[in-house]
Amino acid sequence: MENFSEQIKKLQEFIDKSNNIVFFGGAGVSTESGIPDFRSQDGLYNQEWKYPPEIIISHSFYEQNPTEFYRFYRKKLLLPNIQPNAAHIKLAELEEKGKLKAVITQNIDGLHQKAGSKTVYELHGSTLRNYCTHCKKFYDESFIAKSENSPDKLPHCTECNALIKPDVVLYEESLNQTIIDNSIKAISNADMLIIGGTSLVVYPAAGLINYFQGKYLVLINKSTTSSDSSASLVIHDSIGKVLSQIKVS
């Protein structure tokens, strides 16, 4: 088994030889910024709440119990002071140098863009975008945060008073087809695919990697995944630690 320095050397070699890299990331990319993931020991699934988190952030729960939905949403998913970590910063640097062509993320925190990445396909939407369910007026996350002080503790449109909904794909909702199509195209054209911080169990997002036909498939995740056996390189470590070792020329 290769040691860490040998793995980094091989990763650097793959990146140096590639000119169309795509990064596919999950919750593990953001945990190093202090955002809890859903399935780890300290994740949202293991924190006590009135209802299970996967029930609260479902479309039907949002419609039937918006007050409880927003109580959870504001407390657990709105994290305005969180900053990008070493992984986000390195990926933005790789894009700036023309090596990385796209970031495909399952995260909803906007940290890739905050770090400077331009081509980001957000499979599950973003907490930074919120729209009136009636007139579609846009609201930022600070407006949602302040809605805790409203009489019914819900965010209402200032134009038509309808309820505002986050631009986040809830359970029971479909992914945006345009984003799916763009992600498939990016992966299909890539000569290198780096998968980081994801257990590859959430579908349909995890199925996107089946479109990769390039040369180097790299998996960086603390735990094993179902695709480890088919990868060119597997590194079981933190994504920030790994990518911070990479030099971009």
Side-chain angles (χ1 to χ4, degrees):
M1 187 177 174
E2 295 173 307
N3 62 35
F4 184 72
S5 61
E6 289 170 337
Q7 291 174 328
I8 295 299
K9 186 178 178 182
K10 187 174 280 188
L11 177 60
Q12 182 73 62
E13 181 187 323
F14 289 172
I15 289 173
D16 290 345
K17 289 180 177 178
S18 303
N19 293 301
N20 191 333
I21 303 169
V22 169
F23 178 82
F24 180 94
V29 180
S30 292
T31 50
E32 290 168 58
S33 290
I35 297 178
D37 71 2
F38 277 82
R39 290 174 179 79
S40 71
Q41 194 58 42
D42 301 315
L44 293 179
Y45 275 41
N46 293 291
Q47 295 177 14
E48 201 170 318
W49 205 258
K50 193 173 179 181
Y51 301 89
E54 64 268 34
I55 297 295
I56 298 175
I57 50 177
S58 66
H59 181 82
S60 54
F61 192 92
Y62 160 80
E63 291 203 319
Q64 293 159 16
N65 196 341
T67 304
E68 186 67 7
F69 169 87
Y70 267 111
R71 187 170 79 87
F72 178 88
Y73 184 84
R74 282 190 297 258
K75 188 168 183 181
K76 295 295 183 184
L77 298 180
L78 286 189
L79 302 158
N81 299 318
I82 294 294
Q83 297 301 319
N85 61 54
H88 299 105
I89 293 164
K90 186 61 68 174
L91 290 167
E93 191 182 340
L94 282 165
E95 183 186 37
E96 187 184 5
K97 295 293 184 180
K99 301 284 281 184
L100 185 84
K101 303 304 181 186
V103 168
I104 301 165
T105 180
Q106 298 175 81
N107 299 331
I108 58 175
D109 49 49
L111 287 179
H112 285 292
Q113 292 93 326
K114 203 170 187 178
S117 290
K118 301 288 190 289
T119 304
V120 182
Y121 300 127
E122 296 172 310
L123 296 172
H124 297 151
S126 172
T127 59
L128 306 186
R129 299 185 299 270
N130 307 274
Y131 297 95
C132 171
T133 52
H134 178 67
C135 71
K136 308 304 178 189
K137 183 178 177 181
F138 171 85
Y139 293 90
D140 62 17
E141 64 175 342
S142 66
F143 186 91
I144 304 300
K146 290 171 186 172
S147 68
E148 187 175 13
N149 302 318
S150 65
D152 60 0
K153 299 191 179 299
L154 291 173
H156 291 281
C157 180
T158 56
E159 297 292 327
C160 67
N161 204 43
L163 189 64
I164 296 164
K165 183 182 181 293
D167 189 15
V168 170
V169 180
L170 304 177
Y171 285 99
E172 304 165 351
E173 294 180 345
S174 301
L175 302 189
N176 180 289
Q177 192 56 51
T178 301
I179 291 172
I180 287 282
D181 292 343
N182 287 336
S183 299
I184 289 171
K185 185 177 179 181
I187 290 173
S188 299
N189 292 333
D191 56 11
M192 179 176 184
L193 177 62
I194 303 173
I195 300 171
T198 175
S199 52
L200 293 175
V201 296
V202 177
Y203 282 82
L208 291 174
I209 71 165
N210 296 326
Y211 290 93
F212 179 63
Q213 304 166 64
K215 192 169 184 181
Y216 303 116
L217 175 61
V218 176
L219 281 166
I220 306 167
N221 198 49
K222 287 184 177 179
S223 58
T224 58
T225 76
S226 58
S227 295
D228 281 15
S229 59
S230 58
S232 314
L233 175 64
V234 177
I235 305 177
H236 288 145
D237 217 317
S238 83
I239 184 79
K241 178 184 172 185
V242 171
L243 290 184
S244 64
Q245 305 295 312
I246 296 302
K247 293 178 174 61
V248 184
S249 55

